[in-house]
């Protein structure tokens, strides 16, 4: 036996870490696309159209309530951009969870910790990115409600 054969370090497997990192990168991409890229491809409707449509629905609802009839909201199909956005958001969370799972499998198999960390970080970042927009939306809604309550001095 030669001396070089016994002193060579063992090469660790990296399969789960690499797969998890790729899935985590896909998750992060799916999380970013709906918020920054899709509005360029499928622009949202103009604000004045949204306001007018909301006003008409509110008027119809008030008329139905005044007549004592149950309001039947018109069936609206989601636009292609809105449908793709919701699918990408769900896909980002699912892929983020898969990336975290592959990170755990990588650690269980005693693979390289760096790739396991990258996989977990990308998965967590994708999930956090998705939930951050939900939290920002909730905070904006709370601010609007607070402003309306303060203007009308209800409390």
């Amino acid at each position: 036996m030669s001396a070089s054969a016994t002193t060579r370090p063992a090469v660790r497997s990296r399969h789960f870490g690499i797969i998890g990192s790729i899935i985590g990168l896909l998750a992060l991409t799916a999380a970013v696309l709906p918020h920054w890229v899709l509005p360029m491809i499928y622009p949202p409707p103009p604000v004045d159209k949204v306001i007018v449509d909301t006003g008409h629905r509110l008027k119809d609802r008030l008329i139905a309530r005044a007549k004592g009839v149950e309001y039947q909201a018109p069936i609206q199909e989601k636009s292609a951009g809105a449908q793709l956005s919701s699918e990408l958001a769900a896909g980002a969370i699912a892929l983020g969870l898969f990336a975290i799972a592959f990170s755990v499998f990588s650690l269980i198999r005693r693979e390289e910790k760096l790739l396991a960390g990258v996989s977990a970080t990308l998965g967590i970042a994708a999930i956090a990115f998705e939930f951050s927009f939900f939290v920002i939306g909730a905070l904006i809604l709370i601010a609007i409600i607070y402003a309306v309550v303060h203007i009308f001095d209800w409390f």
Side-chain angles (χ1 to χ4, degrees), residues 66-150:
K67 289 180 179 179
V69 179
E70 185 177 335
Y71 174 71
Q72 297 292 328
I75 298 173
Q76 292 180 335
E77 289 187 27
K78 280 185 163 182
S79 67
Q83 186 174 357
L84 190 56
S85 177
S86 64
E87 290 170 359
L88 281 172
I93 293 173
L95 287 172
L97 290 173
F98 278 126
I100 294 169
F102 273 98
S103 172
V104 170
F105 295 146
S106 175
L107 289 174
I108 290 171
R109 291 203 42 190
R110 298 180 191 262
E111 293 182 3
E112 253 184 68
K113 290 183 181 179
L114 176 66
L115 287 173
V118 168
S119 175
T121 302
L122 288 171
I124 291 169
I127 294 170
F129 193 83
E130 278 302 318
F131 282 121
S132 69
F133 278 93
F134 173 73
V135 170
I136 289 170
L139 290 175
I140 290 172
L141 181 65
I142 290 170
I144 290 171
I145 291 171
Y146 177 76
V148 169
V149 167
H150 185 69

